[in-house]
Amino acid sequence: MTTYTPSKSSKPSISIFPNHKFSKIDRNIYSGFTEHMGRCIYGGIYDPSNPNKHLTTPEGFRKDVLEALRPLSIPVFRYPGGNFCATYHWQDGIGPLSQRPSRPELAWGAVETNHFGTDEFMSWCDAVKAEPYLCLNFGTGTLDEALAWVEYCNGTKDTYWANLRRANGHAAPYNVKYWALGNEMWGDWQLNQMTASAYADRAWQWAKALKLLDPSIVLILCGKEGPTSWDYQVLKHCLRPAGLSDLGETQTPLIDMHSIHLYTASEDHYENVTGPLAAGRSIEVCSSLIDLAFVENGLPPTQNRPKICFDEWNVWSPPRAPGSKGAEEEYTLSDALAVAVWLNVLVRNAKDLGMACIAQSVNVISPLMTTETGIVKQTTWFPYELFCRYMKGHTVAVHLECDEYTGPTKPKWVRATKETPWMDVSATVDDDEGYVTVCVVNMHLEMDLSTKINGTAGANIHVFSITGANDKVTNMAGKEEVGIKESEWDSSANAEFVFPRCSITMLRWNQK
Ligand code: AHR
């Protein structure tokens, strides 16, 4: 929770109230996404034909990618798409490689060899120490196939698909918890695009069957951007009691989370860095739609009220980095600030979020790029790394006073519903170790902001700074223009802290 007062005359100030805790942050908001798209899987996480053999594990996984991702403790990876799901038949991707069929891939215009499939993904998740999240094919797929996939992954009985998993060398079930009921089924690019009512009906029927097979799974409904009539209609239809006595509590909805997606981007720095504030509005409105469905459907307020699964978010301009060409964005410092604002938004709205997945994790719209010989950490990697490492526990109250940006925004309505101060702030307190962590983005391109910081109790503060020569610098030209610099700041002298123009600063201290 960050409150804000415009202050044109006085100096900026940030007041932090570490003892005023708001919401528990679900670590799953730092999740990732690996789609069969461009070089995300092949040449990204899986690269068995790379001539530099030292770069790959015996399974063909990129070691440098694993080593970069592991320290971030990314909790969950979504797979295999995205739009890719709409023609994916998971049975093509199991068993001996030589018997796996190559298929035309219609979402991105590629050929899918199926050399990387369910068992490889499970093994990669194991290697990166994350949980899998699988998205079901609502395009050309059938309910039978979906049931078979759940049985293959989670089955413990003496049944066909569970036995096939065993025969493929995986005796223990994978216990895949998270399953999505399709992806972006509202989009006109989608194979088997549906109306909201057709989708909702199908999702409800599939959900019943899937939960009968495995009541332990978490089912994720396909929403749109949050504040849309699609979101309202599918929530209204699907958030109702299961009506299946075998599932136990009949008042519990079948749906456990509601997925929304949003990408922001602009060539204009200020539009670029204020755009992610739209996501805050998406979450707020969508959360109200969940409440409305509960009220209209007569569901009692329960612990099982679905949260939002923001399972695709990032800075992406499709005209600049088209999906059909692999969507390889070259991120600037401005984009790093935008990603930090995105992450501030997710933290501030933690109350409503059960999961969020940066889209995507390697090469495609990603902070991490591979070449044949190594990896490049793009500018956006650094805010993502800092948040994954430090912004955990509970959100805490912050009050910000500073001047505000008053120019155009993209989307335009950001201004109508959100304030756009020059600084964007979120703060957390780590429940175990007592660390307070504050992330401050100074969006201003020219002005360093000398700011009074209240609430540090005179602590010695560890400072992480991310900035660069100008907002356009990138890390892709063979030199690292943007990275993390660390320093200490003694707040006991009551001095002001200077947030450099166009920067991300993380302040961290222990209050125990
Ligand atoms: O992340 C890239 C694509 O963007 C995904 O496949 C799709 O779901 C979205 O439109």
Side-chain angles (χ1 to χ4, degrees), residues 72-220:
L72 272 51
S73 308
I74 296 170
V76 174
F77 281 90
R78 179 174 182 243
Y79 173 85
N83 295 341
F84 173 80
C85 295
T87 54
Y88 181 57
H89 297 289
W90 69 272
Q91 292 102 325
D92 289 344
I94 55 169
L97 282 194
S98 59
Q99 287 167 31
R100 297 191 194 178
S102 283
R103 306 265 190 210
E105 195 289 298
L106 300 184
W108 307 114
V111 169
E112 176 52 54
T113 63
N114 284 301
H115 284 181
F116 188 95
T118 303
D119 296 314
E120 288 77 21
F121 180 64
M122 296 300 154
S123 159
W124 185 78
C125 282
D126 212 34
V128 79
K129 303 206 179 333
E131 272 198 75
Y133 162 19
L134 298 179
C135 184
L136 297 167
N137 175 353
F138 259 55
T140 59
T142 63
L143 175 55
D144 261 348
E145 264 176 278
L147 287 165
W149 205 5
V150 174
E151 185 194 324
Y152 184 86
C153 291
N154 295 354
T156 51
K157 297 183 185 153
D158 179 13
T159 56
Y160 179 80
W161 292 104
N163 285 337
L164 190 57
R165 181 197 69 234
R166 294 181 185 107
N168 285 341
H170 310 284
Y174 292 126
N175 296 322
V176 178
K177 183 168 160 192
Y178 303 107
W179 295 85
L181 297 160
N183 172 72
E184 295 187 354
M185 294 311 300
W186 40 269
D188 58 10
W189 52 88
Q190 210 58 245
L191 259 102
N192 205 8
Q193 179 192 4
M194 289 175 185
T195 61
S197 78
Y199 169 76
D201 201 38
R202 194 170 198 224
W204 170 256
Q205 299 303 338
W206 281 38
K208 268 199 296 194
L210 291 160
K211 285 250 166 137
L212 274 176
L213 177 66
D214 186 347
S216 75
I217 60 178
V218 166
L219 285 179
I220 298 154

Side-chain angles (χ1 to χ4, degrees), residues 33 35 37 82-84 108 183-184 189 261 263 312 316 359-360 365:
F33 174 30
E35 174 166 8
M37 174 179 176
N83 295 341
F84 173 80
W108 307 114
N183 172 72
E184 295 187 354
W189 52 88
H261 294 173
Y263 294 95
E312 287 188 31
W316 181 28
Q360 300 186 4
I365 332 169

Side-chain angles (χ1 to χ4, degrees), residues 285-351:
V285 175
C286 190
S287 174
S288 300
L289 293 179
I290 291 171
D291 285 339
L292 186 61
F294 259 59
V295 171
E296 289 187 347
N297 292 339
L299 282 165
T302 130
Q303 287 188 331
N304 296 319
R305 178 188 176 279
K307 289 201 172 184
I308 294 166
C309 177
F310 215 131
D311 53 13
E312 287 188 31
W313 69 266
N314 207 346
V315 174
W316 181 28
S317 160
R320 185 168 74 191
S324 57
K325 295 201 172 120
E328 300 204 4
E329 282 277 16
E330 182 167 340
Y331 286 123
T332 62
L333 176 61
S334 175
D335 297 323
L337 267 64
V339 162
V341 174
W342 256 110
L343 289 159
N344 273 346
V345 168
L346 298 179
V347 166
R348 287 197 293 264
N349 289 281
K351 165 175 84 66

Side-chain angles (χ1 to χ4, degrees), residues 39 43-44 47 50-52 55 62 64-65 328 362-363 368-376 476:
R39 296 192 307 123
D47 202 8
N50 191 308
N52 301 300
L55 283 180
R62 279 291 288 252
D64 45 6
V65 169
E328 300 204 4
V362 186
N363 288 331
L368 186 64
M369 308 298 287
T370 61
T371 65
E372 202 175 71
T373 53
I375 54 169
V376 177
M476 292 296 286

Side-chain angles (χ1 to χ4, degrees), residues 247-283:
L247 292 178
E249 269 185 85
T250 50
Q251 288 295 84
T252 302
L254 287 169
I255 302 300
D256 303 287
M257 282 200 269
H258 180 74
S259 143
I260 58 173
H261 294 173
L262 187 69
Y263 294 95
T264 58
S266 172
E267 298 311 310
D268 175 83
H269 169 74
Y270 292 121
E271 287 184 352
N272 195 32
V273 294
T274 53
L277 297 170
R281 195 66 183 152
S282 290
I283 296 168

